[in-house]
Amino acid sequence: MPFRSLTEKRTSDSIDTPPLAQGEANDLDDLIPDRKLEKKYNYDDYCNGDIYDGPKPTYTKEWELDESSLNERPYLKHIKSLSKAWPHLHYLAEWMEVSTSPTKWQLIRGLAHQDLKKLRDSRASRTKVAVVDFVSVQKTPDVKHIIDPGRLAECLNETATPNATRLYIVEDLSRDVIEHLGSKLDIDPQFFREHINDYTWFNVRDPWVELPDLNIVSRTRPYFRLTYMQPRYFKSQASFQEAQKQAGRFNVLRRLDEDNEHSSLFDDSDAVVALVRSKASLWIRSARENQQAVGVLLIDPSITEGFPLWKGYRPFKNSPCPSEGLPEGFKEPNRASLYEELLFWIRQTSQEDIDSIEKNPKAMAFRILEIICAEWLTLSRYITARLGQIEWEIEKPEVFQGKRVDIQRESMNFKSSLTKLHTWRRRLPVYRSMVADMRTKLFPDPLNSTNPSDPPNDCIAALREDFTIVARHIDDLLSRTERIAAVATAVTAIEESRRALEQNKTLGRLTYLAVIFAPLSFVSSFFSMSANLADLTQTIWVYFCVAIPISALVYLLVDKNWTNNLQGAYDTAGKAKKKTGGFLSHKQ
């Protein structure tokens, strides 16, 4: 049965915050916890303490559930009891109590009591689950949808369909969904803990840090998490900001990495390409006596604003020849929702792949793996395009920056290209690590397998080459980035040398002026020491007789190459005279 609504407690030591207007309350619910909110909302990543603080930091008492509420939620109570021995699970317990990212509490805690209660209850009970039964003798999987946590609890208690493998596809996560799935299916809490955040690196104070486990510990787990990036195109900044608001409404933390450093000559001035941090997690329980094989697949909710880059990947089928016609029941998948898109491709699963699930339950994830692999290939094509534009900027900067006016602007162009390049030098190693992690989890080395008699991966094995291609593309892009960086650095050094040479020439001209006028000023000052100016009319010729030789002597002392210059002038005059004499003799 569904859980009762929460009644939040405000303790006497709570920090009072004035109620917010309803419009502002909605805006706060849309926000993604981020340091950009620091000025407007006094946002602080460590408002509830860092990883080194004690167990009762600032806001914990405000969101903590009372004992009666915990008794109704045995799975949450179990997680809290594990938090001391497994400290990383403490963050999952906080996430379930807040009903979203704990750092967002400081943004919503100032809501009116009823508004805050309504918001938390709504997020805590959010349910969107598809129950898919793969029956070995049935051509098309059975699919039913659940949008209520109470109905999910009933479904988990139902008698299993004979000869079927069941997959629960969960969009987003919520406290009630975790409670029902975790307690009924006996799932390790770490499975949910790994899915709720999207961080790719951590600061030394972060309480949400995810440290790697030893392989001897992790290799026996019946679950794995896959991390990937979804490139999306937005026609305007307003569209991009709306997408960020949509991500803020998710329970799980998912952010968009704006690619604002890579505007190109061919891009719309207001358009934005962003990379959405995404995850998919699969938990599997193999078939046992009197128990069917069961899987839980966690996927991200979809951002409907904007478009998949280049309108998304191609269908996972070859286009039929005229003699074949359109396959029966095949329609265009709904690209606006990953949930609907995944179910579309699951319904296209072949009988052979359905039969293989009985031997290898990991094959339940075949369709989401195809989507993830396709997203990686699209991303690699996008990075290839951006690196090509950077190379073009280095080769022909005038095409992208207009007519070059001076050498300083040219130097700035190269600096801009290097800035764009360094973004990919920072991101590509992270992407390579993500792909390598996926390959390790999906295709373990047979030589290191703990059970050499394991059945073959079937359709999963067929994807091995596709993920190998993705890994090879990422490696090639990283190598290409390093080569472009070396060339760009060398070109920048050359341009800086040219710039320094121009500055030296300018200083040289000033030196020559000083050489000429300094002696003149000295001689002029020397002869002007007479108090009677009329006497100078008799000796003015002495000024020129003295100043000109002194200036010439000083110039020759400063210009050490005057003999070479003189020899060059003499040679030039000789060649000109010889050429003129030859011309006259020929004419005669």
Side-chain angles (χ1 to χ4, degrees), residues 131 156 397 431-432:
V131 183
L156 288 166
Y431 299 160
R432 181 171 63 178

Side-chain angles (χ1 to χ4, degrees), residues 462-475:
L463 282 172
R464 180 190 293 267
E465 183 60 27
D466 290 284
F467 278 95
T468 300
I469 291 172
V470 170
R472 191 181 303 128
H473 283 180
I474 298 296
D475 288 338

Side-chain angles (χ1 to χ4, degrees), residues 562-582:
W562 66 273
T563 54
N564 295 334
N565 296 337
L566 183 62
Q567 182 65 39
Y570 178 79
D571 293 341
T572 302
K575 291 178 181 179
K577 182 177 180 181
K578 184 177 181 181
K579 185 176 181 181
T580 304

Side-chain angles (χ1 to χ4, degrees), residues 147-316:
I147 57 174
D148 177 76
R151 180 69 188 94
L152 176 60
E154 294 173 2
C155 182
L156 288 166
N157 289 322
E158 290 176 355
T159 304
T161 303
N163 301 318
T165 299
R166 173 163 289 186
L167 176 64
Y168 294 91
I169 301 176
V170 182
E171 182 186 85
D172 207 351
L173 272 178
S174 68
R175 178 174 61 219
D176 290 356
V177 169
I178 293 176
E179 181 67 38
H180 288 309
L181 290 175
S183 58
K184 181 61 180 178
L185 299 178
D186 197 26
I187 298 176
D188 183 347
Q190 179 66 15
F191 171 65
F192 300 109
R193 171 65 180 85
E194 291 182 350
H195 190 79
I196 58 178
N197 280 339
D198 70 345
Y199 297 100
T200 56
W201 60 277
F202 302 94
N203 291 307
V204 295
R205 297 175 59 199
D206 291 348
W208 47 81
V209 62
E210 297 178 41
L211 297 177
D213 293 298
L214 296 178
N215 180 61
I216 194 173
V217 176
S218 61
R219 70 189 180 196
T220 59
R221 289 172 177 166
Y223 59 86
F224 56 83
R225 178 204 68 237
L226 305 177
T227 307
Y228 63 105
M229 308 296 291
Q230 295 185 67
R232 291 191 69 84
Y233 180 84
F234 304 95
K235 287 189 174 182
S236 64
Q237 282 288 338
S239 177
F240 173 68
Q241 292 171 3
E242 178 60 31
Q244 289 184 307
K245 290 182 178 181
Q246 288 183 357
R249 299 182 193 117
F250 301 165
N251 281 345
V252 294
L253 178 62
R254 297 294 183 265
R255 289 169 291 179
L256 295 82
D257 295 331
E258 182 182 2
D259 195 19
N260 54 358
E261 295 290 342
H262 297 87
S263 58
S264 170
L265 179 67
F266 310 105
D267 295 345
D268 288 340
S269 58
D270 199 33
V272 176
V273 175
L275 308 180
V276 185
R277 305 181 189 184
S278 307
K279 285 184 179 181
S281 303
L282 178 67
W283 173 88
I284 299 171
R285 186 188 69 190
S286 300
R288 305 172 184 172
E289 185 178 356
N290 300 324
Q291 283 187 329
Q292 66 180 159
V294 177
V296 176
L297 177 61
L298 308 180
I299 62 173
D300 291 343
S302 299
I303 293 175
T304 58
E305 186 68 27
F307 306 89
L309 187 63
W310 293 312
K311 297 302 288 285
Y313 54 83
R314 294 179 178 179
F316 303 133

Side-chain angles (χ1 to χ4, degrees), residues 90 96 105 202 221 225-226 267 297 328-329 337 364 370 408 477 488 575:
H90 179 69
M96 292 179 68
W105 180 257
F202 302 94
R221 289 172 177 166
R225 178 204 68 237
L226 305 177
D267 295 345
L297 177 61
E328 183 180 355
S337 168
M364 289 187 288
E370 283 188 315
Q408 184 175 3
L477 290 171
K575 291 178 181 179

Side-chain angles (χ1 to χ4, degrees), residues 370-438:
E370 283 188 315
I371 294 174
I372 291 174
C373 190
E375 294 286 8
W376 277 115
L377 290 173
T378 302
L379 178 61
S380 68
R381 185 59 58 91
Y382 171 71
I383 299 175
T384 299
R386 288 308 194 195
L387 292 181
Q389 291 167 358
I390 293 173
E391 288 179 314
W392 195 6
E393 288 178 7
I394 295 173
E395 180 183 359
K396 297 182 179 295
E398 68 276 5
V399 175
F400 289 84
Q401 299 291 343
K403 186 177 180 181
R404 286 179 289 180
V405 177
D406 52 39
I407 198 167
Q408 184 175 3
R409 175 177 294 181
E410 187 174 350
S411 178
M412 291 173 62
N413 293 347
F414 284 111
K415 184 178 180 180
S416 174
S417 299
L418 281 175
T419 300
K420 298 176 182 179
L421 191 64
H422 287 322
T423 300
W424 296 121
R425 293 183 72 188
R426 175 173 52 84
R427 290 179 177 177
L428 279 169
V430 176
Y431 299 160
R432 181 171 63 178
S433 176
M434 291 179 182
V435 174
D437 183 60
M438 282 194 296

